[in-house]
Amino acid sequence: MWDDYWEREMKNSRVLFFAVKTAASKLEVLVKSAYTHFRRQEKLLIQVSDDTAARYVDTLLWKNPISGFLPHIVTEEESQDFIVITTATKNLNQAKYVFNLNKTPILLDSYQLVYEFVDISSNIRQQLSKKRFEAY
């Protein structure tokens, strides 16, 4: 069912689902997406489920890409930084782009593009991803 990615168009927003089979492919997509938006000077919000996930993504972006790092901040407060990692459900940096690493869909009101992962490593995970796809 899932190829490389699927896309859903909403009124003012799009949701882009990346099909991934491994943890490494998830990390690659996340870093490439963050790097692309940073290079374009576009604000990106990365919403995570908890502090452990926030620390993990924080460490990842300080170590990647290999040629350098991606400046960012982990916060629950409003910020003007280009890349913000947060557990908050608010758009803290007025980003048009959000990478959702939560288990629940994002409210689309303030975003042009929402990134999601579709985990196709097992039938159960694929079914959970399908339900989230349908929720959008």
Side-chain angles (χ1 to χ4, degrees), residues 12 19-20 26 28 59-60 71 75 82 90 104 115 134:
N12 299 318
V20 292
K26 286 181 184 181
E28 182 181 350
T59 301
L60 176 72
T75 188
F82 282 104
K90 296 179 187 176
T104 57
Y115 295 107
E134 291 168 354

Side-chain angles (χ1 to χ4, degrees), residues 12 16 25 28-29 36 72 77-78 86 91 97 100 109:
N12 299 318
L16 189 59
S25 60
E28 182 181 350
V29 168
T36 297
H72 62 278
E77 309 279 327
E78 290 192 13
T86 187
N91 188 350
Y97 309 94
N100 185 21
D109 296 346

Side-chain angles (χ1 to χ4, degrees), residues 13 47 89 98 100 104-111 114 136:
S13 301
Q47 285 191 347
T89 56
V98 60
N100 185 21
T104 57
I106 294 275
L107 297 175
L108 299 173
D109 296 346
S110 63
Y111 303 105
V114 176
Y136 279 106

Side-chain angles (χ1 to χ4, degrees), residues 2 6-18 45 47 89 97-118 128-136:
W2 301 99
W6 276 59
E7 190 172 344
R8 293 214 56 157
E9 297 264 348
M10 311 315 233
K11 285 183 180 179
N12 299 318
S13 301
R14 291 180 337 176
V15 183
L16 189 59
F17 290 83
F18 290 103
L45 187 71
Q47 285 191 347
T89 56
Y97 309 94
V98 60
F99 214 118
N100 185 21
L101 299 179
N102 288 313
K103 295 178 182 176
T104 57
I106 294 275
L107 297 175
L108 299 173
D109 296 346
S110 63
Y111 303 105
Q112 276 184 318
L113 181 61
V114 176
Y115 295 107
E116 290 274 356
F117 284 126
V118 176
L128 292 172
S129 296
K130 183 179 177 184
K131 286 183 181 183
R132 185 165 39 208
F133 180 80
E134 291 168 354
Y136 279 106

